Amino acid sequence: MTFSATDAAFEGFRLTRRAPVAVALWALLYVVLMVATVALMGPSLATLMAEVARLQDMASPQPEDLQSLGALYALLVGTALPLSLLVTAVLAAAVARAVLRPAESALGYMRLGMDELRVLGVTLVLFVVFAIAWTLPFVLVGVIGGVATASGQGWLWLVAVLLGLAGVAGVIWLLVRLSLAVPLVVAERRFAPFASFALTKGSFWPLLGMAVIAIVMAVIVGLLGSIVVMPITLMTGDLERLAAFEGASLVELLQGAAPALIAFGVINGILSALQLAIMYAPFSAAYRDLKAG
């Protein structure tokens, strides 16, 4: 099968039409994730939203105010991140399985086994790789910029700008070359975070074009979904409503903010599941077609 970037880019739409029940189950898992987060962090979420509201009302927030907000965000991320990473691995593997092994449709293609553990491991490895690839060039840019300022040699700023652009280009190149790691892991049932390099050789530009189309489509779906559900959001309120429950117990928060939480959970679950399919399925289709070719 010949790889077509435009054909692969729309694999997510074909997937939602072919397996709507699976997409609905993915949305349900997102809702479960939100319920678990609220159960673990409900009062802290209310405090966070209240802190955000206070900062918005301040003419000039002080460093200690920002530090307090940062601590709340760190607590939220630290609590929710492990579960979120696991759910992301389950869903990423489910999308790949839906494209590459469509016969395994039970439970919306979701499993909790070695495929998911390998996906989680690959995701963490690639996160470290991209963090290093993103950080090193810009540390060097900062050093060169500092030298340029201290020495008054303006030409060094040109070097810094060119180095920064080269760094961005390098990260994009790396993202594309490693973009098939997750479907490869699921299809071949092996931990191989860098095997995507061989498969994507000679296909950088088609894969980049496919990724851009998929991202644009996911953004459009998100914007259209937000417009469609805006009346519901206006009626129930969004998470900013939690600010009114600062200091309340979890039971009081649930009693008072239940409509907003339910609406937010269901709406974001549906939109997240659709965007998941639109964003992830093209890379599995690209793996399938490149491997066959």
Side-chain angles (χ1 to χ4, degrees):
M1 185 181 294
T2 303
F3 170 57
S4 168
T6 52
D7 185 64
F10 290 92
E11 181 68 22
F13 291 100
R14 290 191 289 272
L15 176 58
T16 58
R17 185 175 66 250
R18 186 173 69 245
V21 173
V23 177
L25 289 173
W26 300 343
L28 180 61
L29 184 56
Y30 275 118
V31 174
V32 170
L33 175 61
M34 197 210 77
V35 170
T37 302
V38 171
L40 290 170
M41 296 289 299
S44 296
L45 279 172
T47 303
L48 175 64
M49 299 311 300
E51 191 68 24
V52 169
R54 279 194 289 270
L55 286 174
Q56 289 174 341
D57 292 335
M58 291 181 182
S60 55
Q62 300 301 308
E64 56 268 21
D65 299 317
L66 297 175
Q67 187 176 14
S68 174
L69 182 63
L72 287 169
Y73 270 118
L75 177 62
L76 175 62
V77 171
T79 303
L81 186 60
L83 183 58
S84 179
L85 286 173
L86 180 60
V87 168
T88 299
V90 168
L91 291 173
V95 175
R97 197 175 285 116
V99 175
L100 301 172
R101 301 204 292 268
E104 301 178 12
S105 58
L107 297 175
Y109 300 96
M110 291 184 290
R111 308 286 188 274
L112 188 57
M114 289 306 300
D115 278 348
E116 287 67 28
L117 291 179
R118 283 189 285 262
V119 168
L120 179 59
V122 165
T123 301
L124 293 175
V125 169
L126 294 184
F127 174 81
V128 173
V129 170
F130 290 125
I132 294 172
W134 184 260
T135 302
L136 288 180
F138 290 97
V139 169
L140 189 55
V141 167
V143 171
I144 294 174
V147 172
T149 301
S151 65
Q153 300 182 61
W155 64 273
L156 284 175
W157 281 111
L158 178 60
V159 174
V161 170
L162 292 176
L163 184 60
L165 293 174
V168 171
V171 170
I172 292 173
W173 178 83
L174 196 60
L175 281 167
V176 172
R177 294 299 304 275
L178 294 175
S179 63
L180 304 187
V182 168
L184 186 150
V185 164
V186 174
E188 301 181 14
R189 293 187 170 96
R190 62 190 179 100
F191 182 78
F194 305 112
S196 174
F197 261 111
L199 192 59
T200 57
K201 183 179 180 180
S203 300
F204 173 82
W205 292 110
L207 285 169
L208 179 61
M210 180 200 74
V212 170
I213 294 171
I215 291 170
V216 170
M217 291 298 102
V219 170
I220 290 174
V221 167
L223 290 174
L224 291 176
S226 299
I227 293 171
V228 170
V229 303
M230 190 177 295
I232 299 174
T233 304
L234 291 174
M235 285 188 296
T236 61
D238 54 23
L239 289 187
E240 291 182 2
R241 185 173 179 178
L242 297 182
F245 297 91
E246 183 182 14
S249 67
L250 178 60
V251 173
E252 292 170 332
L253 186 149
L254 293 176
Q255 289 174 340
L261 289 171
I262 292 171
F264 179 86
V266 172
I267 290 168
N268 281 274
I270 294 171
L271 291 178
S272 296
L274 289 173
Q275 290 177 311
L276 174 82
I278 292 167
M279 280 291 298
Y280 281 38
F283 295 96
S284 295
Y287 168 84
R288 177 195 63 203
D289 296 348
L290 287 170
K291 194 72 175 179

